[in-house]
Amino acid sequence: MPHVKVNKFNLYFGNDHILKDIDVSIPDKQITVIIGPSGCGKTTLLKSFNRLIDLQDNVKTDGRILIDGEDVFSRNADLCSIRKKMGLLLQKPYPLPMSIYDNVAYGPRIHGLKKGGDLDGLVEHYLKEASLWDEVKGRLHAPAGNLSLGQQQRLCLARGLAVEPEIILADEPTSALDPLSTARIEKTFIKLKKSYTIIAVTHILRQAKRIADYVIFMYYGRVIEHGPASKVLENPEKDVTKEYVNGVIS
Amino acid sequence: MPLPSFIPFKGLSAGKFKNISARTLFLIAALFINFILLSIIIWLTVKSAPVWVEKSIPGLLLSQVWFPARGGFGMFSFIIGTVLSTLLAVILAAPPAILSAIYLHEYASKKIMTAGRTLIDLLAGIPSVVFGLWGIITVVPLVRNHIAPAFGINTTGYCLLSCGLVLSIMIVPVIMLMVIEVLDGIPNELRESSLALGATRWQTVKHVVMRMAYPGILSAVALGISRAIGETMAVLMVAGNVPAVPSSVFEPVYPLPALIANNYGEMLSIPLYDSALMFSALVLLAMVLVFNIGLHIFKKTARYGGQTS
Ligand SMILES: Nc1ncnc2c1ncn2[C@@H]1O[C@H](COP(=O)(O)OP(=O)(O)OP(=O)(O)O)[C@@H](O)[C@H]1O
Ligand SMILES: [Mg+2]
């Protein structure tokens, strides 16, 4: 049974019906890419998974999003432990206002890991997982804001991995980055999918082709089509999907 | 594009001309503000010269003897009055102001936030004479009839405590508004990033928001202090205005602004009185300037967290 299952999920901002009857399962340990035109609800769906959507006003939902069989929108869901299961990458990297080391150690610390030797080991381990270690090992205690944007994004990845999530959520994680940094993030994703389920939103079709195992195409708040990448991107069933992947609509 | 004919310089394009004239204008404006400050300082220094030449500056600042008719112009009690009432006001005002600003911005719903903000805006706009009157009819009796008796003390209620209370109520909205502004400037994505790691609201506020907001909160408190130091009308109405160093919060104080406002224009023909009041204004101005410059230096040298960008 997959980690992540969306079940007849609807979301409203006030009276605006934003997400409509979303019904989709996300395959484990693969990269699932959500594509679709601007404003179709990709970010909203992504932020529903870890309930960051709660930060918005007047949000109403019905239906369910199941993570490991547990409905994240159920009344007695424990937000902190749900969010801990999912690392999050945003469109632009936002390192916390502290050192590189403390950014990675932030999660372990708030979840009650001890100080000292094993924290150093953790920080090193996750910086390596995010392919950043070699570039920062000499200046772990420098402010994270000093890093380049691409490095900052990988730091944010390391920071998210350090709370030992099962899932990585990424909202256009490379849209602020140069091609080289983009390639590094993509390579890191492909390396990480052995151990994590990755859900990424992207605007760039070529990126979807490079990294996606599974593709979800959204249009005006609905999932129009989903399936293995080769099928949805190369040989879509629906006409709108065809138009989108051929660049007729964007 | 043809040059407009009014341009007086040959070979200068309209764009360049505008650029130069704009720069000159800003420069003049900046110089003008400095010039005003400088001219106030010079003017006060010159006008107060008779008294500080005759009595010496340390003599004026450190003496407690205020007896204009016999040439006693000691400022010490007034300086202490200003310092104590400002300090008391800030100690009373800053913690609740900062905490409620954080509550409104970080915890409350949008509705409560908007309502709260409107209310604070209104409070911040109330003229100080209204606060003064309100102090006379509520704070002074409260102190006289309830707070002081609880400590077994007799007081008229016109005292340091009333002064500090009224001032603190006046500066709470000032501090709150600025703290809210500071919190507004912190990108939401930082909060999201912390929450997404499974942090609680409180952990996010404590480790991320406060760290980012710290310099701004300091400035907010400083603004409150500046406001309290110079506040005149409300202070004059509740402080009691007795030139002596108080030995408890239930004794009257006489802050510098109240001294000036109470006496200027009614100096009769007492020699040096006029000059002494000028000197007290100079002292007040110096206190504000020294405080602000000190704060500026502190903020330049202190390091906040690791954020550089
Ligand atoms: N806080 C909000 N209140 C009301 N409507 C909102 C809010 N946030 C987003 N929306 C609306 O919800 C819809 C979906 O927005 P969302 O950000 O999920 O789109 P998106 O697919 O991520 O777009 P993009 O590709 O431009 O990032 C949009 O029509 C947007 O205007
Ligand atoms: Mg988006």
Side-chain angles (χ1 to χ4, degrees):
Chain A
M1 149 144 187
H3 278 311
V4 187
K5 230 177 132 162
V6 187
N7 204 319
K8 297 208 179 62
F9 185 70
N10 285 278
L11 185 143
Y12 309 79
F13 284 131
N15 291 322
D16 295 340
H17 196 174
I18 303 293
L19 295 179
K20 299 162 190 164
D21 287 320
I22 309 276
D23 216 24
V24 66
S25 291
I26 310 274
D28 284 349
K29 312 251 156 116
Q30 291 191 8
I31 300 178
T32 296
V33 168
I34 305 177
I35 55 171
S38 186
C40 69
K42 306 182 293 295
T43 300
T44 306
L45 178 60
L46 207 66
K47 288 191 173 165
S48 299
F49 288 131
N50 65 359
R51 290 212 29 201
L52 272 186
I53 205 70
D54 290 22
L55 300 185
Q56 309 296 325
D57 279 305
N58 292 323
V59 181
K60 271 180 302 185
T61 60
D62 58 61
R64 300 190 301 174
I65 292 182
L66 299 168
I67 310 281
D68 294 327
E70 189 193 351
D71 180 11
V72 300
F73 281 92
S74 87
R75 207 172 285 272
N76 44 19
D78 173 8
L79 278 189
C80 290
S81 68
I82 288 169
R83 287 175 179 158
K84 191 170 168 294
K85 287 183 183 173
M86 290 172 258
L88 177 71
L89 281 186
L90 298 167
Q91 266 171 287
K92 255 180 67 189
Y94 281 90
L96 301 174
M98 44 190 86
S99 68
I100 297 169
Y101 184 99
D102 288 339
N103 260 275
V104 183
Y106 183 80
R109 278 182 180 146
I110 58 174
H111 294 297
L113 263 81
K114 290 155 253 69
K115 284 195 173 179
D118 63 333
L119 194 56
D120 291 349
L122 271 183
V123 169
E124 175 173 348
H125 175 73
Y126 288 112
L127 283 171
K128 278 180 175 158
E129 284 238 290
S131 324
L132 186 61
W133 173 253
D134 291 328
E135 291 155 66
V136 300
K137 61 186 172 195
R139 47 171 170 153
L140 290 175
H141 295 284
N146 288 359
L147 297 173
S148 76
L149 271 186
Q151 291 170 327
Q152 286 184 14
Q153 192 63 304
R154 276 176 283 145
L155 178 65
C156 291
L157 182 60
R159 175 181 76 189
L161 295 179
V163 296
E164 302 177 336
E166 301 157 19
I167 302 154
I168 297 169
L169 305 174
D171 190 0
E172 304 183 36
T174 61
S175 62
L177 307 184
D178 60 281
L180 217 69
S181 302
T182 300
R184 299 207 61 165
I185 292 273
E186 289 177 5
K187 250 173 70 187
T188 311
F189 273 7
I190 289 168
K191 178 181 93 184
L192 288 173
K193 75 179 181 186
K194 281 191 215 71
S195 355
Y196 303 90
T197 299
I198 299 174
I199 308 174
V201 168
T202 183
H203 254 132
I204 313 161
L205 274 171
R206 271 175 303 161
Q207 182 170 57
K209 284 183 185 143
R210 288 195 295 267
I211 64 172
D213 301 305
Y214 199 82
V215 172
I216 297 174
F217 172 64
M218 291 180 68
Y219 194 66
Y220 283 109
R222 288 182 198 280
V223 170
I224 303 293
E225 194 163 350
H226 61 100
S230 53
K231 188 173 157 297
V232 178
L233 294 176
E234 314 292 340
N235 209 349
E237 272 172 20
K238 305 272 169 51
D239 289 340
V240 229
T241 321
K242 246 176 238 165
E243 283 172 23
Y244 185 78
V245 299
N246 292 328
V248 181
I249 50 172
S250 62
Chain B
M1 197 185 88
L3 284 178
S5 55
F6 60 82
I7 302 272
F9 306 110
K10 257 200 176 152
L12 211 57
S13 75
K16 259 192 191 149
F17 178 72
K18 273 189 189 154
N19 189 21
I20 289 175
S21 40
R23 226 173 50 197
T24 322
L25 206 71
F26 289 130
L27 185 69
I28 290 172
L31 285 177
F32 183 64
I33 290 167
N34 284 307
F35 171 76
I36 289 184
L37 180 62
L38 205 68
S39 69
I40 290 178
I41 293 173
I42 292 173
W43 180 76
L44 286 177
T45 312
V46 171
K47 283 287 199 178
S48 59
V51 77
W52 56 258
V53 166
E54 185 168 330
K55 309 268 173 190
S56 92
I57 292 178
L60 288 169
L61 293 180
L62 299 177
S63 158
Q64 282 190 44
V65 182
W66 179 260
F67 206 156
R70 301 221 185 129
F73 293 110
M75 300 273 155
F76 190 71
S77 339
F78 303 101
I79 296 172
I80 289 296
T82 293
V83 169
L84 287 181
S85 53
T86 302
L87 219 60
L88 185 61
V90 153
I91 290 170
L92 293 174
I98 294 169
L99 290 179
S100 39
I102 291 176
Y103 169 77
L104 273 185
H105 198 275
E106 303 293 319
Y107 289 89
S109 71
K110 247 217 183 88
K111 257 191 203 148
I112 296 180
M113 167 73 187
T114 319
R117 221 174 165 152
T118 317
L119 195 74
I120 307 161
D121 270 329
L122 284 174
L123 277 177
I126 294 180
S128 59
V129 65
V130 176
F131 276 108
L133 271 181
W134 173 81
I136 289 177
I137 56 175
T138 60
V139 177
V140 169
L142 180 78
V143 170
R144 181 178 53 222
N145 302 332
H146 298 284
I147 300 181
F151 292 89
I153 290 172
N154 248 328
T155 168
T156 57
Y158 292 91
C159 61
L160 174 57
L161 182 60
S162 301
C163 186
L165 279 170
V166 171
L167 274 180
S168 74
I169 305 251
M170 289 182 66
I171 63 175
V172 159
V174 175
I175 298 176
M176 276 186 82
L177 279 181
M178 185 149 166
V179 172
I180 287 177
E181 209 113 292
V182 168
L183 296 175
D184 261 344
I186 299 174
N188 246 329
E189 285 86 348
L190 272 174
R191 299 182 179 88
E192 289 185 358
S193 297
S194 167
L195 291 172
L197 293 166
T200 60
R201 277 256 174 194
W202 168 238
Q203 286 166 330
T204 302
V205 166
K206 185 168 142 213
H207 298 300
V208 179
V209 175
M210 288 303 276
R211 201 183 270 244
M212 294 287 285
Y214 175 56
I217 289 179
L218 217 62
S219 301
V221 173
L223 188 69
I225 292 178
S226 299
R227 174 87 195 264
I229 293 182
E231 174 47 37
T232 307
M233 209 51 217
V235 160
L236 179 149
M237 293 165 82
V238 298
N241 301 338
V242 174
V245 174
S247 56
S248 87
V249 291
F250 298 113
E251 289 187 9
V253 285
Y254 205 165
L256 282 164
L259 169 74
I260 302 166
N262 262 344
N263 297 296
Y264 199 81
E266 294 171 18
M267 288 96 56
L268 306 171
S269 51
I270 298 170
L272 294 183
Y273 201 167
D274 165 78
S275 173
L277 289 179
M278 292 295 171
F279 185 73
S280 65
L282 189 63
V283 171
L284 184 62
L285 184 61
M287 285 170 72
V288 176
L289 284 181
V290 165
F291 171 71
N292 279 296
I293 293 169
L295 185 85
H296 188 73
I297 293 170
F298 173 76
K299 277 177 49 182
K300 273 256 157 102
T301 48
R303 282 175 54 90
Y304 307 106
Q307 194 75 355
T308 53
S309 57

